[in-house]
Amino acid sequence: MDFDLSWVLWGLPIAFVLGWLASRLDLRQLRIENRLAPKAYFRGLNFLLNEQQDQAIDAFIEAVQNDPDTSELHFALGNLFRRRGEYERAVRVHEHLLSRGDLSRAERHRAQHALALDFLKAGLLDRAEEALRKLEGTAYESQALLALLSIYERTRDWSNASVTARKLDASGHGNFNGRLAHYLCEQASSAAPEEAVELLREAMTIAPDVARPRMDLAALQRRAGESALAFETLADLAQSVPASIPLVARPLTDAALASAQSDKATQILLASYELSPSIDVLEGIVALEPDPAIARNWYVKHLEREPSLVAATRWLAGEKLEDETTHASVQNALEHAVKPLRRYRCAACGFEAKQHFWQCPGCQAWDSYPARRVEEL
């Protein structure tokens, strides 16, 4: 059978024409699509770059209406609503995404995480907790656990906080032993004495370098009339965590006086003072000194070593000037001046307080208060 070349001659031009028509149709479709969503989308990005959030929201809404199946536009719109504080609108956007059946598994998890953030920012902690728990086993699990930990701390749910901290620690997302020790101490504060002791000893085992468990245990022992045991607990803390001695000085002194162990307590405080002078340690030494004259002279020695308005005020309180009225006026002025110097200051946010906090009331950071007062920083 002979092959007819005429068919090839006719076929080549026809194929060329068909290919040209197909390319023109594709270009036309592309231009139509570019005229619809991207114009509004890029306009919205331009508004965002110029910090014009109201106009950006309007542009994104227009883009979503032109292409309702585009999930990225929904995420951008929801995040914008959340940043503006319009949490209800953000929730509606993310809930609409979750209701779609064509959403991929990864995008569904992303939408669930965004919804949890909406609830969290809105202060709806119970709904945020429910949404975050659904992220277990997803790529957002670590972020969800950290958010849950923050919720449990804010609501003082120390039991769930302990469970969550253990999960984070086990998954390798940091060392949470210090926080876990504080959670156990918080639980111990409202537990029966026997259970409280067990919780505090567990905290001591988990975080031996945290001062709070031993200090709380010593306070518990003092309330039970076991001053000797309380002293031994605090002496052990002073040896294992020397940086905590300024915090321990006052309760150590009280326990020593109650259990007739003043000499041993004085040795501990003197050794600490020689290494690093501290007002609180100095106060402990003075309280244990039986001779009033020697006790007052300790303030003079401290002033020779460290300039301290607090120490000067303490020394002046034990002295008597010829004019008692002038003495009282000077003393009152100094007492007023040193009040800010006796405070503790958070190293994370600078929040100052009269007492030492384990968790900063300002920024909620744990162990951010140094053991030393403002004057000594």
Side-chain angles (χ1 to χ4, degrees), residues 15 97 106 222 284 298 317 324:
L97 275 173
R222 281 292 309 279
W298 266 105
E324 293 184 2

Side-chain angles (χ1 to χ4, degrees), residues 17-55:
V17 170
L18 291 174
W20 181 80
L21 289 172
S23 66
R24 296 297 298 173
L25 288 172
D26 287 341
L27 287 173
R28 184 181 177 188
Q29 181 64 26
L30 183 61
R31 290 193 190 99
I32 293 172
E33 291 177 354
N34 285 339
R35 278 197 295 268
L36 292 176
K39 270 192 177 180
Y41 180 71
F42 289 120
R43 193 164 64 250
L45 288 178
N46 183 53
F47 284 133
L48 271 183
L49 291 173
N50 291 296
E51 298 184 357
Q52 296 174 283
Q53 293 188 9
D54 289 334
Q55 292 89 333

Side-chain angles (χ1 to χ4, degrees), residues 273 278-280 282-283 286 295-319 331 334-335 338 341-342 375-376:
Y273 184 83
S278 164
I279 286 294
D280 290 293
L282 176 65
E283 292 284 4
V286 169
R296 284 198 306 276
N297 192 50
W298 266 105
Y299 292 117
V300 178
K301 290 181 179 179
H302 185 80
L303 289 170
E304 292 172 353
R305 185 170 178 176
E306 298 281 341
S308 170
L309 191 57
V310 175
T313 305
R314 286 281 188 262
W315 172 81
L316 185 60
E319 296 297 314
Q331 184 67 31
L334 286 174
E335 288 289 349
V338 300
L341 303 179
R342 292 176 184 157
E375 187 186 52
E376 301 169 316

Side-chain angles (χ1 to χ4, degrees), residues 146 149 153 158 161-187 199-213 358 366-367:
L146 286 170
L149 194 63
E153 287 184 0
W158 305 117
S162 298
V163 173
T164 307
R166 291 180 194 274
K167 286 182 180 179
L168 283 164
D169 194 76
S171 59
H173 292 292
N175 189 338
F176 287 82
N177 287 344
R179 281 199 189 189
L180 186 54
H182 285 296
Y183 299 156
L184 292 170
C185 289
E186 292 288 351
Q187 290 177 260
L199 289 168
L200 292 173
R201 293 199 181 280
E202 183 183 355
M204 290 163 56
T205 303
I206 291 172
D209 57 339
V210 175
R212 184 181 182 182
W358 300 110
W366 289 97
D367 291 320

Side-chain angles (χ1 to χ4, degrees), residues 244-254 269 280-285:
S244 68
I245 293 182
L247 285 179
V248 177
R250 185 73 255 179
L252 179 72
T253 300
D254 294 340
L269 295 176
D280 290 293
V281 174
L282 176 65
E283 292 284 4
I285 294 171

